[in-house]
Amino acid sequence: MTRLEKFIYDHGDELLRLAYTYVKNKQAAEDIVQDVLLKAFEKQSLFREEATYRTYLYRMTINRSYDYLRSWHYKNTTIGEKIQHLFGRSTEQDIVTKSENRLLAQAVLSLPLKYREVIVLTYYLDYSSEEIGMLLNCSSATVRTRLARGRKKLKLVLKEDGFDGTIENGY
């Protein structure tokens, strides 16, 4: 395995999930991650070590996602791709759980970006409010406020969609 392949293997999947939460389009997320990984690999000697390398890659991915969302291409196309889960033959409970997970994921993706990003970084990627604040260039108090408001909006969206599961501590 070459250094580049190892670099992509180590960081690609988590960056892809992060980019997807911003752009809601698998192909665009893949393009963003490809750009980020190539730039990071080419310029890894310039890394100043002011934060962890993972945080640095997340920041690059978030910035590139924002660039995409501001782009002409994004503004003039309709996002038609939804989260897709493959359902295999399973027990009834597994099907119910997968359906609820899909509904929850769709509800999170329907939130405004400033709430969606803190929910994803907190609950899916286990970042602290301080780490998220560093990534998003805002205070940890702002992160906690966005998280509380995002959870509130998420509960409303799920209630409107008829979600009968309980949401405690955010999920």
Side-chain angles (χ1 to χ4, degrees):
M1 182 181 285
T2 67
R3 276 183 58 199
L4 178 59
E5 288 171 332
K6 180 167 177 17
F7 192 81
I8 292 169
Y9 178 80
D10 290 346
H11 304 289
D13 287 341
E14 63 185 284
L15 296 179
L16 182 60
R17 285 190 297 273
L18 178 64
Y20 185 83
T21 62
Y22 281 84
V23 299
K24 300 182 196 177
N25 181 294
K26 186 178 178 188
Q27 290 173 330
E30 288 171 348
D31 290 344
I32 288 167
V33 171
Q34 181 180 4
D35 289 349
V36 167
L37 288 173
L38 285 175
K39 285 180 185 174
F41 184 76
E42 290 170 356
K43 299 182 182 204
Q44 60 185 332
S45 63
L46 301 176
F47 176 60
R48 295 179 294 197
E49 297 185 31
E50 293 174 5
T52 66
Y53 201 66
R54 182 177 183 219
T55 302
Y56 173 69
L57 290 174
Y58 271 56
R59 183 74 250 163
M60 288 177 66
T61 303
I62 290 168
N63 287 343
R64 184 65 186 91
S65 297
Y66 281 143
D67 291 344
Y68 174 80
L69 292 172
R70 287 189 297 260
S71 72
W72 178 89
H73 178 264
Y74 172 76
K75 289 179 181 177
N76 290 300
T77 58
T78 303
I79 298 178
E81 195 172 289
K82 302 286 183 189
I83 294 179
Q84 297 176 4
H85 293 278
L86 298 176
F87 289 97
R89 293 181 187 248
S90 185
T91 66
E92 186 175 312
Q93 184 57 43
D94 288 343
I95 292 172
V96 169
T97 301
K98 286 180 183 181
S99 179
E100 288 176 349
N101 287 343
R102 190 182 77 225
L103 180 62
L104 180 60
Q106 288 174 335
V108 169
L109 289 174
S110 74
L111 294 173
L113 182 61
K114 67 182 180 179
Y115 302 129
R116 182 172 68 232
E117 65 189 355
V118 295
I119 286 175
V120 168
L121 291 170
T122 300
Y123 294 108
Y124 290 96
L125 301 173
D126 271 342
Y127 272 70
S128 69
S129 59
E130 290 78 19
E131 291 172 317
I132 296 169
M134 283 179 52
L135 279 171
L136 302 178
N137 295 323
C138 63
S139 71
S140 59
T142 299
V143 170
R144 288 189 298 272
T145 299
R146 288 180 182 176
L147 190 56
R149 290 177 181 168
R151 283 193 302 247
K152 187 176 180 180
K153 285 186 176 288
L154 184 58
K155 285 180 185 181
L156 290 174
V157 168
L158 290 171
K159 190 174 184 178
E160 289 172 5
D161 289 344
F163 185 74
D164 59 357
T166 58
I167 299 180
E168 297 175 11
N169 296 327
Y171 286 95

